[in-house]
Amino acid sequence: MNLPNKITISRICLIPLVIFFFLADFIPYGKLVAALIFGIAAITDNVDGRIARKRNLVTDLGKFLDPIADKVLVMSGLLLIVAHPIMGAGVTNAAPAVWPIWLGIICAVLILARELIISAFRQIAATKKLVMAADKSGKIKAFLQDITIFLYMIYAFLVSEFWASIAGTANTVLCIILIIFLVVTTILTITSGIGYIIKNKHVLKDAEPKKEEPVARYDMLIPDVLSEFVEEGVISLKLIEERFALNEERAEKILDDMAELEYISDEGEQREILISVEEYKDMFAKKD
């Protein structure tokens, strides 16, 4: 296993630690520890990718694990700041870090929905073996998501440990700043997802059905029939039926086709062959 993959796996292993320390209210400064671990995990997202590209260590395992690690990290962080109630010192009612909570839930749902949709979109592209260009807005989106979640975790730490110092106006200002961060992040997340799909809309196009091979207009046995009779100079329905063991219907079609191609005369029980042996060889010998 190469270095980038080890870094990716380490990021996945850090996610349970983020969840544990954020939820462990009995551990002093646990939410600060969770925020720091989350920050480290987010930083490794850029590190493993750069190393893989710089050292040409891109692998299928890395392509599989890296997006999973990123999305699970973001999803875990969003659920923690939106769903877990935080109790400040001297406060009787606990509430999640995000305020207003209804807006936070909407933002979290939209962000998670976007990530799931893009993941499904990439799976479709993979089944069709299509290459999709990287999008810079996606990287900016990921950066803002990580920063927003990190700041909310720091805010959760301040509320749980230093509520008396930030209560009142300071808390209101912090909540407004943070919700603006979350809303802006959500908007960029949605717009980058829409832009990504539009940019790669060819992925959703159904493959055109394979065209059936055109049915041969003329009977494929004509060269063989001509080869049999060209030296004799004449041909008839009965002779074709006898020498090639064909039914009357097919023998008639061969005669009609050859007449249309002007290889034989149009009428008569015995029809004259209008091409010479040399002309026959020029037309058909090279195909043998």
Side-chain angles (χ1 to χ4, degrees):
M1 183 180 295
N2 59 34
L3 179 59
N5 290 344
K6 290 179 180 179
I7 295 174
T8 302
I9 292 175
S10 69
R11 180 161 73 257
I12 295 175
C13 294
L14 289 177
I15 295 172
L17 295 178
V18 173
I19 297 171
F20 171 76
F21 280 104
F22 193 87
L23 299 179
D25 295 330
F26 56 89
I27 297 179
Y29 296 177
K31 289 178 174 53
L32 176 61
V33 175
L36 294 176
I37 295 175
F38 180 89
I40 293 172
I43 291 173
T44 63
D45 180 22
N46 282 327
V47 174
D48 59 2
R50 288 184 179 180
I51 293 177
R53 290 186 294 271
K54 186 176 181 180
R55 300 184 183 180
N56 195 25
L57 296 175
V58 178
T59 63
D60 290 336
L61 178 62
K63 293 177 182 179
F64 171 73
L65 291 178
D66 187 65
I68 291 178
D70 300 340
K71 287 173 176 54
V72 174
L73 181 65
V74 170
M75 290 179 181
S76 300
L78 284 173
L79 290 175
L80 289 174
I81 64 175
V82 171
H84 180 61
I86 303 167
M87 180 71 75
V91 178
T92 56
N93 296 323
V98 178
W99 179 90
I101 185 59
W102 62 268
L103 183 55
I105 292 174
I106 291 174
C107 289
V109 169
L110 291 175
I111 290 173
L112 296 181
R114 184 267 189 196
E115 299 300 340
L116 292 174
I117 290 170
I118 294 301
S119 294
F121 187 74
R122 286 173 175 162
Q123 286 181 348
I124 294 173
T127 59
K128 295 182 177 181
K129 296 182 179 180
L130 296 175
V131 178
M132 298 189 297
D135 196 339
K136 290 184 179 179
S137 63
K139 295 181 180 180
I140 298 173
K141 172 269 306 179
F143 175 76
L144 280 180
Q145 286 178 351
D146 294 337
I147 288 294
T148 300
I149 295 171
F150 176 78
L151 291 177
Y152 265 112
M153 287 185 171
I154 294 296
Y155 170 72
F157 159 68
L158 295 176
V159 170
S160 62
E161 301 291 343
F162 305 102
W163 173 249
S165 301
I166 65 171
T169 303
N171 180 64
T172 302
V173 172
L174 288 174
C175 286
I176 292 173
I177 293 173
L178 289 174
I179 198 65
I180 290 174
F181 261 91
L182 183 57
V183 170
V184 171
T185 298
T186 303
I187 292 173
L188 182 58
T189 298
I190 295 172
T191 55
S192 68
I194 294 173
Y196 191 74
I197 292 175
I198 293 175
K199 185 177 180 180
N200 299 282
K201 59 184 178 181
H202 59 280
V203 172
L204 299 177
K205 290 184 179 180
D206 293 327
E208 293 184 2
K210 293 183 179 179
K211 295 182 179 179
E212 295 183 0
E213 292 293 330
V215 179
R217 181 178 176 184
Y218 300 110
D219 196 291
M220 300 300 292
L221 200 58
I222 288 176
D224 294 330
V225 173
L226 277 175
S227 175
E228 179 72 18
F229 297 104
V230 68
E231 291 185 359
E232 298 178 19
V234 293
I235 190 170
S236 69
L237 179 65
K238 186 176 181 181
L239 288 173
I240 295 175
E241 289 176 351
E242 290 177 353
R243 297 191 190 182
F244 289 89
L246 300 178
N247 57 38
E248 183 178 351
E249 182 180 357
R250 186 173 182 188
E252 284 183 350
K253 184 179 186 309
I254 291 174
L255 282 176
D256 292 341
D257 287 349
M258 288 196 293
E260 185 177 342
L261 291 168
E262 298 183 350
Y263 294 161
I264 62 175
S265 58
D266 288 335
E267 300 177 354
E269 184 177 341
Q270 282 199 339
R271 305 196 188 189
E272 181 184 358
I273 296 178
L274 302 178
I275 62 173
S276 64
V277 175
E278 290 72 19
E279 288 174 328
Y280 168 80
K281 290 180 178 179
D282 289 339
M283 287 189 289
F284 299 106
K286 294 180 180 179
K287 298 181 179 180
D288 294 338

